[in-house]
């Protein structure tokens, strides 16, 4: 595609999404708040073309429950069937535009990668970049992450679970929406193999400390680092998002935990 393809345009920094009060008038399909807020941005023409042309290969079909981005209970998939082989599986939650996971999948063709994201424009961009790079060991899931871990992925099927720069929801009234919480760790433990690794990163200090406290109290996990913080994960490419946090003077905090044996 030409260099001027609109899908190559940078994504503006729109900050933390505001919760639309109109959501209060919609049917309540979930008992707990989700860690994302809907944004109304349309896909570009290039992203639409990528979705239509590449979705049949990269996108994992999802059986829905009542909510739009839900996963129907009992709709578990077989990773070996998805990829046509048995290989170590790495899952990234909140893959954004896919820069990190596409680079990782290209660098490790012997492993399989699954990107979980709720924003279709980001998934379309991920498909486009993966196809350009010739990456075939990657699949994408458009769904609410906790439901993916609870219903879609088999128990003990994931070797590494990555959550990089998930929304910090820094306003006090919104912190209940943070993904990393005591309710989340059993779901992460469920899908990870014994000895599997949960990797976290954030540029928001308060959230980093919350993550560390939550994992400290999680019986299924043990820290895989010494000291206050883990060293930067060298398998995570430097993205524009991370550079932006550094430019604003924020410390990037990494954490890593091993799934204890069952």
């Amino acid at each position: 595609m030409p260099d001027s393809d609109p899908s190559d345009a940078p994504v503006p920094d729109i900050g933390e999404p505001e919760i639309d009060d109109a959501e209060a008038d919609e049917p309540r399909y979930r008992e707990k708040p989700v860690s994302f807020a809907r944004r109304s941005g349309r896909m570009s023409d290039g992203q639409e073309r990528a979705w239509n042309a590449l979705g049949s290969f990269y996108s994992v079909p999802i059986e829905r429950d009542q909510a739009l981005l839900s996963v129907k209970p009992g709709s578990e998939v077989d990773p070996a069937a998805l990829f046509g082989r048995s290989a170590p599986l790495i899952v990234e939650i909140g893959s954004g535009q896919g820069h990190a996971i596409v680079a990782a999948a290209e660098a490790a063709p012997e492993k399989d990668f699954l990107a979980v994201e709720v924003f279709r424009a980001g998934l379309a961009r991920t498909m486009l970049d993966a196809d350009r790079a010739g990456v075939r060991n990657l699949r994408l899931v458009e769904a609410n992450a906790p439901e993916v871990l609870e219903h879609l992925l088999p128990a003990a099927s994931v070797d590494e679970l990555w959550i990089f720069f998930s929304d910090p929801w820094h306003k006090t009234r919104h912190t209940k929406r943070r993904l990393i919480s005591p309710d989340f760790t059993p779901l992460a433990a469920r899908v990870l193999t014994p000895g599997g690794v949960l990797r976290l990163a954030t540029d928001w200090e308060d959230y980093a400390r919350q993550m560390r406290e939550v994992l400290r109290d999680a019986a299924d996990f043990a820290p895989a680092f010494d000291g206050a913080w883990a060293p930067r994960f060298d398998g995570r490419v430097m993205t524009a998002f991370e550079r932006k946090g550094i430019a604003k003077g924020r410390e990037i905090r990494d954490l890593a935990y091993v799934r204890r044996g069952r």
Side-chain angles (χ1 to χ4, degrees):
M1 294 185 180
D3 293 340
S4 60
D5 191 295
S7 64
D8 289 329
V11 173
D13 180 12
I14 61 176
E16 180 180 305
E18 293 296 328
I19 305 303
D20 187 349
D21 290 337
E23 291 183 4
D25 297 329
E26 296 183 357
R28 294 292 180 178
Y29 295 127
R30 297 186 176 97
E31 295 179 356
K32 299 176 182 177
V34 294
S35 62
F36 60 90
R38 292 171 303 171
R39 296 188 176 107
S40 59
R42 295 176 58 246
M43 289 199 292
S44 68
D45 291 342
Q47 290 165 342
E48 287 277 8
R49 290 195 299 271
W51 186 269
N52 293 332
L54 304 171
S56 61
F57 177 80
Y58 286 108
S59 182
V60 178
I62 302 294
E63 290 186 66
R64 304 294 184 187
D65 201 0
Q66 295 185 74
L68 181 63
L69 295 169
S70 62
V71 178
K72 184 178 180 180
S75 58
E76 188 173 282
V77 298
D78 177 6
L82 284 179
F83 292 95
R85 65 176 182 176
S86 294
L89 177 61
I90 297 173
V91 175
E92 183 181 13
I93 289 175
S95 55
Q97 296 189 79
H99 299 309
I101 201 163
V102 170
E106 185 178 14
E110 74 282 3
K111 299 178 181 179
D112 291 330
F113 293 80
L114 186 70
V116 180
E117 178 57 69
V118 295
F119 300 113
R120 183 169 290 193
L123 291 170
R125 175 61 187 266
T126 303
M127 293 178 188
L128 186 64
D129 288 350
D131 186 61
R132 286 172 169 170
V135 168
R136 311 300 283 175
N137 56 328
L138 172 64
R139 299 293 184 272
L140 314 179
V141 170
E142 183 186 21
N144 181 35
E147 294 175 72
V148 171
L149 301 182
E150 184 174 7
H151 303 305
L152 191 71
L153 291 171
S157 62
V158 176
D159 292 270
E160 292 195 21
L161 182 61
W162 298 352
I163 307 172
F164 300 146
F165 305 102
S166 61
D167 199 320
W169 293 102
H170 63 271
K171 295 180 180 179
T172 301
R173 69 180 186 273
H174 290 161
T175 55
K176 63 186 178 183
R177 289 178 172 264
R178 287 176 172 175
L179 180 64
I180 308 303
S181 69
D183 291 336
F184 178 81
T185 54
L187 301 178
R190 175 188 173 275
V191 300
L192 280 166
T193 61
V197 180
L198 172 64
R199 299 190 184 278
L200 308 170
T202 183
D203 63 341
W204 202 263
E205 185 75 15
D206 174 66
Y207 195 14
R209 293 181 181 276
Q210 176 182 320
M211 290 176 176
R212 192 172 59 184
E213 291 172 5
V214 167
L215 269 298
R216 180 196 61 202
D217 296 336
D220 290 322
F221 288 97
F225 58 94
D226 297 318
W229 307 103
R232 186 185 189 282
F233 174 44
D234 59 10
R236 186 178 79 246
V237 299
M238 180 69 72
T239 64
F241 188 94
E242 185 171 353
R243 289 191 189 96
K244 188 179 297 182
I246 294 170
K248 291 181 178 179
R250 296 176 185 157
E251 293 284 344
I252 307 301
R253 300 301 193 190
D254 278 71
L255 293 164
Y257 297 87
V258 173
R259 171 66 164 99
R260 298 183 191 272
R262 287 176 170 82

